[in-house]
Amino acid sequence: MALKEIKILPDKILREKSVPVEKVNNEIRKLMDDMLQTMYAAPGIGLAAIQIGIPKRVVVMDLSKDKEKKDPFYFVNPEIVWKSENLVSYEEGCLSIPNQFAEIDRPEKCHVKFLDYFGKQQLIKADGLFSTCIQHEIDHLNGILFIDYLSKLKKNMIIKKLSKQKKELERIIV
Ligand code: GNR
Ligand code: NI
């Protein structure tokens, strides 16, 4: 397993649309292992492959609070096949948009079709934080970030802050 570097806004790769995986083979499983390790180290509750610079439709998630009891989920080519009309609001964050949080409305429940770690077709009925998180991750696969749901003003404020942070970091390092 290997720790990967998480891409941060304004890195343009985050706006790429990821391509479907043809076969869940050892290469894809290695990618999922690396992603899970990177997500745990961050720490985060979800990670899309594009966040480590790989434009493939692969997502990992683990919502377990307890670090001792891991509960990893692996999604290859996830697709929302149904979503509730009812929306709920959650305070979202993103490892690619560090230290920024905002309340985002999304469908409360959804059904997701995907291939698991072994390439087996699965269907999961998601609600609560699981539903919010899988929708956030599938958005990543389509180049969408949670800030896209905010007003232009709020979105620009966050982008400005991150650009400033990046410049300051470069000033310290150089
Ligand atoms: O770690 C994460 N927490 C989180 C909280 C609320 C809604 C979505 C998320 S996902 C995020 C990790 C991440 O950036 N995944 O893409
Ligand atoms: Ni994210």
Side-chain angles (χ1 to χ4, degrees), residues 89-93 100-104 146-147 150 154 158:
S89 172
Y90 258 103
E91 183 170 60
E92 297 196 17
Q100 308 300 318
F101 303 91
E103 291 279 336
I104 305 292
F146 81 81
I147 56 170
L150 300 174
K154 280 189 189 164
I158 289 177

Side-chain angles (χ1 to χ4, degrees), residues 57-122:
R57 302 186 82 81
V58 177
V59 165
V60 296
M61 273 171 52
D62 189 337
L63 303 187
S64 61
K65 293 249 163 62
D66 192 341
K67 273 186 189 150
E68 304 300 296
K69 292 188 203 106
K70 288 185 179 157
D71 189 16
F73 277 80
Y74 305 89
F75 301 88
V76 175
N77 302 340
E79 249 181 83
I80 295 173
V81 293
W82 176 83
K83 51 186 193 248
S84 65
E85 273 177 39
N86 187 38
L87 307 180
V88 284
S89 172
Y90 258 103
E91 183 170 60
E92 297 196 17
C94 182
L95 294 171
S96 297
I97 313 174
N99 307 317
Q100 308 300 318
F101 303 91
E103 291 279 336
I104 305 292
D105 289 340
R106 296 186 190 269
E108 180 191 15
K109 297 175 183 181
C110 64
H111 297 177
V112 182
K113 195 178 91 170
F114 62 101
L115 302 175
D116 66 15
Y117 194 81
F118 304 102
K120 191 168 176 274
Q121 183 82 241
Q122 302 279 2

Side-chain angles (χ1 to χ4, degrees), residues 51 93-96 136-137 140:
Q51 291 179 276
C94 182
L95 294 171
S96 297
H136 173 116
E137 302 310 337
H140 274 301

